[in-house]
mmCIF file of all heavy atoms in Angstrom:
data_model
loop_
_atom_site.group_PDB
_atom_site.id
_atom_site.type_symbol
_atom_site.label_atom_id
_atom_site.label_comp_id
_atom_site.label_asym_id
_atom_site.label_seq_id
_atom_site.Cartn_x
_atom_site.Cartn_y
_atom_site.Cartn_z
ATOM 1 N N TRP A 1 33.687 76.479 75.450
ATOM 2 C CA TRP A 1 34.693 75.569 75.949
ATOM 3 C C TRP A 1 34.096 74.174 76.154
ATOM 4 O O TRP A 1 34.712 73.181 75.795
ATOM 5 C CB TRP A 1 35.275 76.112 77.263
ATOM 6 C CG TRP A 1 36.464 75.348 77.724
ATOM 7 C CD1 TRP A 1 37.757 75.605 77.413
ATOM 8 C CD2 TRP A 1 36.468 74.179 78.560
ATOM 9 N NE1 TRP A 1 38.576 74.662 78.003
ATOM 10 C CE2 TRP A 1 37.802 73.777 78.711
ATOM 11 C CE3 TRP A 1 35.499 73.434 79.164
ATOM 12 C CZ2 TRP A 1 38.172 72.677 79.469
ATOM 13 C CZ3 TRP A 1 35.864 72.334 79.912
ATOM 14 C CH2 TRP A 1 37.195 71.971 80.061
ATOM 15 N N ARG A 2 32.928 74.138 76.744
ATOM 16 C CA ARG A 2 32.298 72.849 77.066
ATOM 17 C C ARG A 2 32.104 71.988 75.819
ATOM 18 O O ARG A 2 32.408 70.794 75.833
ATOM 19 C CB ARG A 2 30.961 73.087 77.757
ATOM 20 C CG ARG A 2 30.235 71.808 78.121
ATOM 21 C CD ARG A 2 28.939 72.094 78.793
ATOM 22 N NE ARG A 2 29.208 72.913 79.971
ATOM 23 C CZ ARG A 2 28.409 73.021 80.993
ATOM 24 N NH1 ARG A 2 27.270 72.384 80.998
ATOM 25 N NH2 ARG A 2 28.716 73.782 82.009
ATOM 26 N N ALA A 3 31.604 72.595 74.753
ATOM 27 C CA ALA A 3 31.343 71.826 73.528
ATOM 28 C C ALA A 3 32.636 71.218 72.983
ATOM 29 O O ALA A 3 32.674 70.037 72.623
ATOM 30 C CB ALA A 3 30.686 72.707 72.483
ATOM 31 N N GLY A 4 33.694 72.011 72.938
ATOM 32 C CA GLY A 4 34.971 71.504 72.444
ATOM 33 C C GLY A 4 35.524 70.373 73.278
ATOM 34 O O GLY A 4 36.117 69.423 72.755
ATOM 35 N N ALA A 5 35.325 70.464 74.580
ATOM 36 C CA ALA A 5 35.846 69.435 75.485
ATOM 37 C C ALA A 5 35.023 68.154 75.452
ATOM 38 O O ALA A 5 35.541 67.069 75.709
ATOM 39 C CB ALA A 5 35.907 69.972 76.907
ATOM 40 N N MET A 6 33.742 68.284 75.118
ATOM 41 C CA MET A 6 32.870 67.115 75.184
ATOM 42 C C MET A 6 32.658 66.425 73.838
ATOM 43 O O MET A 6 32.151 65.302 73.798
ATOM 44 C CB MET A 6 31.530 67.515 75.793
ATOM 45 C CG MET A 6 31.672 67.979 77.239
ATOM 46 S SD MET A 6 30.145 68.463 77.961
ATOM 47 C CE MET A 6 29.727 66.991 78.858
ATOM 48 N N VAL A 7 33.060 67.052 72.749
ATOM 49 C CA VAL A 7 32.862 66.435 71.438
ATOM 50 C C VAL A 7 33.684 65.154 71.294
ATOM 51 O O VAL A 7 33.176 64.142 70.807
ATOM 52 C CB VAL A 7 33.195 67.435 70.303
ATOM 53 C CG1 VAL A 7 33.341 66.740 68.976
ATOM 54 C CG2 VAL A 7 32.135 68.506 70.218
ATOM 55 N N THR A 58 41.184 72.777 73.888
ATOM 56 C CA THR A 58 40.410 73.110 75.088
ATOM 57 C C THR A 58 41.182 72.796 76.359
ATOM 58 O O THR A 58 41.023 73.483 77.361
ATOM 59 C CB THR A 58 39.045 72.387 75.119
ATOM 60 O OG1 THR A 58 39.249 70.980 75.076
ATOM 61 C CG2 THR A 58 38.163 72.818 73.974
ATOM 62 N N ALA A 126 34.773 66.783 82.177
ATOM 63 C CA ALA A 126 34.752 67.946 81.278
ATOM 64 C C ALA A 126 33.609 68.881 81.640
ATOM 65 O O ALA A 126 33.763 70.112 81.624
ATOM 66 C CB ALA A 126 34.629 67.492 79.823
ATOM 67 N N ASN A 127 32.474 68.329 82.004
ATOM 68 C CA ASN A 127 31.327 69.149 82.400
ATOM 69 C C ASN A 127 31.622 69.903 83.689
ATOM 70 O O ASN A 127 31.322 71.098 83.805
ATOM 71 C CB ASN A 127 30.092 68.263 82.553
ATOM 72 C CG ASN A 127 28.833 69.066 82.668
ATOM 73 O OD1 ASN A 127 28.651 70.075 81.984
ATOM 74 N ND2 ASN A 127 27.944 68.620 83.531
ATOM 75 N N THR A 128 32.212 69.238 84.658
ATOM 76 C CA THR A 128 32.576 69.879 85.927
ATOM 77 C C THR A 128 33.615 70.969 85.712
ATOM 78 O O THR A 128 33.492 72.084 86.233
ATOM 79 C CB THR A 128 33.098 68.833 86.928
ATOM 80 O OG1 THR A 128 32.092 67.851 87.130
ATOM 81 C CG2 THR A 128 33.472 69.469 88.246
ATOM 82 N N LEU A 129 34.648 70.657 84.938
ATOM 83 C CA LEU A 129 35.697 71.632 84.662
ATOM 84 C C LEU A 129 35.146 72.823 83.892
ATOM 85 O O LEU A 129 35.568 73.955 84.113
ATOM 86 C CB LEU A 129 36.845 70.981 83.896
ATOM 87 C CG LEU A 129 38.086 71.828 83.676
ATOM 88 C CD1 LEU A 129 38.658 72.308 85.001
ATOM 89 C CD2 LEU A 129 39.132 71.047 82.909
ATOM 90 N N SER A 130 34.188 72.577 83.031
ATOM 91 C CA SER A 130 33.565 73.668 82.286
ATOM 92 C C SER A 130 32.884 74.645 83.238
ATOM 93 O O SER A 130 32.980 75.853 83.072
ATOM 94 C CB SER A 130 32.552 73.117 81.287
ATOM 95 O OG SER A 130 31.860 74.160 80.671
ATOM 96 N N GLY A 131 32.191 74.103 84.240
ATOM 97 C CA GLY A 131 31.549 74.980 85.235
ATOM 98 C C GLY A 131 32.569 75.812 85.985
ATOM 99 O O GLY A 131 32.356 76.995 86.220
ATOM 100 N N LEU A 132 33.677 75.195 86.353
ATOM 101 C CA LEU A 132 34.741 75.936 87.049
ATOM 102 C C LEU A 132 35.401 76.969 86.139
ATOM 103 O O LEU A 132 35.738 78.060 86.567
ATOM 104 C CB LEU A 132 35.797 74.958 87.572
ATOM 105 C CG LEU A 132 35.339 73.969 88.630
ATOM 106 C CD1 LEU A 132 36.424 72.942 88.908
ATOM 107 C CD2 LEU A 132 34.940 74.690 89.900
ATOM 108 N N PHE A 133 35.565 76.597 84.866
ATOM 109 C CA PHE A 133 36.195 77.495 83.889
ATOM 110 C C PHE A 133 35.335 78.727 83.669
ATOM 111 O O PHE A 133 35.835 79.847 83.640
ATOM 112 C CB PHE A 133 36.414 76.737 82.575
ATOM 113 C CG PHE A 133 37.158 77.510 81.543
ATOM 114 C CD1 PHE A 133 38.512 77.775 81.682
ATOM 115 C CD2 PHE A 133 36.522 77.978 80.407
ATOM 116 C CE1 PHE A 133 39.204 78.491 80.723
ATOM 117 C CE2 PHE A 133 37.199 78.691 79.443
ATOM 118 C CZ PHE A 133 38.546 78.943 79.607
ATOM 119 N N VAL A 134 34.037 78.513 83.541
ATOM 120 C CA VAL A 134 33.120 79.648 83.313
ATOM 121 C C VAL A 134 33.032 80.524 84.570
ATOM 122 O O VAL A 134 32.938 81.744 84.465
ATOM 123 C CB VAL A 134 31.718 79.114 82.909
ATOM 124 C CG1 VAL A 134 30.692 80.225 82.891
ATOM 125 C CG2 VAL A 134 31.802 78.448 81.554
#
Side-chain angles (χ1 to χ4, degrees):
W1 189 90
R2 180 180 303 201
M6 296 179 98
V7 165
T58 59
N127 192 40
T128 302
L129 187 57
S130 174
L132 296 172
F133 185 71
V134 171

